[in-house]
Amino acid sequence: MAQREDTTDLNEKRIHIVALDIPYPANYGGVIDIFNRIRALNNSGIRITLHAFYSNRPEAPELKEYCDSIFYYKRKMSISNFFSFMPFIVKTRIDKKLLYNLLRDTDPIIFEGLHTTAYLNHTRLKGRIKLVRMHNIEYEYYYQLAKSEKNVLRKLYNLLEGFKLKRYEKIITVADHVVTISPNDYDHYNATYPNIELIPSSHSSRKIESLPGYGEYIFYHGKLSVPENENAVMFLLKNVFSRIKTPFIVAGMNPSNKLKRTIKKLDYVTLIANPPEEEMLKLIREAHINLIVTFQATGLKLKLLKSLYNGRFCIVNSPMVSGTGLEPLCEIADTADDLVKTIDEFMHINFSPDHIKIRHQNLMLMFDPVANAKKWTSLLFPEE
């Protein structure tokens, strides 16, 4: 446990945040949202006690800059937890030390993801202000994972986990507010549950960093160990980049050997595995087109947001932007033929200052970090 010296005025606002993973480094979707929310709330004067579950990420001393106290809890990854009626992602994050630490005061609590909600309805937390941040429609996410998974055992696990999550999610009725990440998710939950709010993703960008002019390559980035992302890249390699000669760069975390072998055979394609954040941003900014394709329309893909804030043209398919409100800022192409045609068209178009101005006007309406921090604060401290 890491702790910062307490010099707190009794009138200062304090909260607990229960994170599904250690939110630093902020290098994949869920932890990007969590880390940047921690930073934004801290900058607005809120003092934070962070509780972080982990399995394979190290403790992060960098978080001490934003948190008064940090408690770490190792996930219980026992095989017996697969056979629980409770979803595996929840069951493995039960720790009595967490409950004890939450009961040390009466501060409001943000539960990050359905993953962390095992104690949401605990009798000893009754009367506390409790918010649940929904990063996805979780059961749909697991059903989609099952569709893209070729390994029979993993496919069965994803189907079963989706079934458990659909049954389990009614626990969110106990929360004072359920905070969704996209308009699509808001509509889904608001049709069934009370107290649903929409606050878009917290992110690191404070202004549009896109460069005007032309780039020389097309870029795809994502967590490449995720089957959804690998399937998207394989689709692009087979159906799009086999037909064009524009340089294509793929970058991301932990690509499989299969993906490495496939890319090695292609003359116009380069793979960059596990680039540091600065290099990733440079690749996004210098590309002429950020190509972002998914076959899993769940949540808001933060790689899209990063590309819109930092890159030039964004070409996407419909599932990537469906229900996000970001459709007007992207070029949408759904078939391989349309992708080839759109890429060919936009590789010859100058990304102008007018493009940047329009992007700024639209993104700041939804994703202004200061305004969104105020929304979180009003939910956490409703009487002030």
Side-chain angles (χ1 to χ4, degrees):
M1 189 273 281
Q3 195 162 3
R4 201 162 68 181
E5 183 180 356
D6 191 351
T7 58
T8 309
D9 186 297
L10 291 176
N11 293 320
E12 284 190 308
K13 297 181 175 69
R14 295 172 170 267
I15 65 169
H16 294 269
I17 294 179
V18 185
L20 56 88
D21 203 348
I22 296 174
Y24 193 91
N27 56 3
Y28 73 89
V31 297
I32 291 172
D33 183 42
I34 297 169
F35 171 73
N36 287 294
R37 178 161 39 265
I38 288 170
R39 185 166 64 173
L41 291 173
N42 173 262
N43 289 341
S44 68
I46 293 176
R47 303 190 69 163
I48 296 166
T49 298
L50 175 65
H51 308 266
F53 284 92
Y54 69 95
S55 55
N56 55 12
R57 287 164 70 92
E59 295 185 8
E62 294 86 352
L63 292 167
K64 294 178 187 177
E65 181 179 351
Y66 310 104
C67 303
D68 280 19
S69 301
I70 306 171
F71 298 91
Y72 296 96
Y73 311 90
K74 187 169 180 61
R75 288 182 64 189
K76 298 175 174 61
M77 304 296 284
S78 167
I79 194 169
S80 63
N81 288 328
F82 283 105
F83 304 102
S84 170
F85 288 108
M86 184 176 283
F88 184 77
I89 63 171
V90 180
K91 180 70 173 177
T92 56
R93 291 179 173 90
I94 295 177
D95 194 310
K96 291 181 180 178
K97 290 180 291 184
L98 169 62
L99 181 61
Y100 171 81
N101 289 325
L102 291 174
L103 290 169
R104 294 168 71 173
D105 54 52
T106 58
D107 299 337
I109 308 167
I110 300 176
F111 293 91
E112 292 283 355
L114 205 57
H115 317 55
T116 67
T117 57
Y119 293 119
L120 179 63
N121 64 349
H122 197 281
T123 55
R124 296 186 68 186
L125 291 178
K126 189 174 181 180
R128 297 281 285 276
I129 292 178
K130 293 170 286 191
L131 277 59
V132 176
R133 171 53 143 185
M134 299 298 282
H135 294 267
N136 269 312
I137 303 170
E138 291 297 343
Y139 71 85
E140 283 192 357
Y141 175 73
Y142 276 87
Y143 286 157
Q144 292 293 331
L145 284 179
K147 285 183 180 179
S148 61
E149 181 57 67
K150 294 179 174 59
N151 180 283
V152 174
L153 288 178
R154 285 197 290 264
K155 182 184 286 285
L156 181 60
Y157 162 73
N158 288 326
L159 285 171
L160 185 58
E161 189 75 351
F163 171 77
K164 291 178 182 178
L165 284 161
K166 188 171 185 178
R167 186 180 59 180
Y168 174 82
E169 80 170 14
K170 63 179 179 292
I171 194 173
I172 64 177
T173 58
V174 177
D176 294 270
H177 299 283
V178 176
V179 187
T180 57
I181 201 168
S182 71
N184 185 61
D185 288 8
Y186 172 84
D187 291 341
H188 173 88
Y189 285 110
N190 195 49
T192 306
Y193 299 106
N195 302 323
I196 307 299
E197 307 287 341
L198 170 60
I199 304 179
S201 175
S202 301
H203 60 95
S204 58
S205 301
R206 296 294 177 266
K207 60 180 181 177
I208 305 300
E209 301 282 359
S210 302
L211 301 173
Y214 292 89
E216 296 182 351
Y217 60 88
I218 301 166
F219 186 56
Y220 176 97
H221 74 281
K223 190 175 181 181
L224 298 175
S225 59
V226 175
E228 169 201 350
N229 293 334
E230 179 173 299
N231 290 344
V233 175
M234 296 297 281
F235 167 83
L236 293 171
L237 296 176
K238 179 180 179 181
N239 299 288
V240 177
F241 286 93
S242 60
R243 299 164 58 185
I244 60 178
K245 294 184 178 181
T246 306
F248 180 38
I249 298 177
V250 177
M253 293 171 59
N254 305 324
S256 69
N257 289 330
K258 175 186 174 184
L259 187 58
K260 290 177 184 177
R261 288 193 301 268
T262 303
I263 289 176
K264 194 173 182 179
K265 298 175 184 176
L266 301 170
D267 292 337
Y268 293 94
V269 184
T270 302
L271 174 65
I272 301 176
N274 303 306
E277 179 65 15
E278 287 186 6
E279 183 180 357
M280 183 71 87
L281 282 174
K282 186 172 186 289
L283 289 164
I284 291 171
R285 286 177 182 143
E286 294 185 356
H288 193 68
I289 292 171
N290 280 270
L291 184 58
I292 316 170
V293 171
T294 186
F295 301 107
Q296 196 164 315
T298 55
L300 171 65
K301 310 295 186 184
L302 289 175
K303 59 188 172 186
L304 172 59
L305 207 54
K306 182 180 284 190
S307 298
L308 287 170
Y309 269 90
N310 295 282
R312 294 186 177 100
F313 293 110
C314 289
I315 297 178
V316 305
N317 64 343
S318 295
M320 178 58 67
V321 288
S322 176
T324 65
L326 298 173
E327 293 89 340
L329 300 180
C330 303
E331 303 303 320
I332 301 173
D334 285 319
T335 67
D337 287 346
D338 286 343
L339 285 165
V340 171
K341 180 180 177 182
T342 306
I343 288 169
D344 183 62
E345 177 185 353
F346 278 84
M347 282 303 296
H348 300 93
I349 296 176
N350 176 49
F351 191 77
S352 69
D354 286 341
H355 287 113
I356 296 173
K357 182 179 179 181
I358 291 169
R359 193 170 284 184
H360 172 81
Q361 290 170 343
N362 281 270
L363 289 175
M364 289 307 292
L365 286 174
M366 290 179 65
F367 297 99
D368 177 25
V370 175
N372 286 335
K374 288 179 180 177
K375 292 177 185 176
W376 280 101
T377 303
S378 67
L379 297 178
L380 291 161
F381 303 97
E383 297 179 0
E384 299 184 19

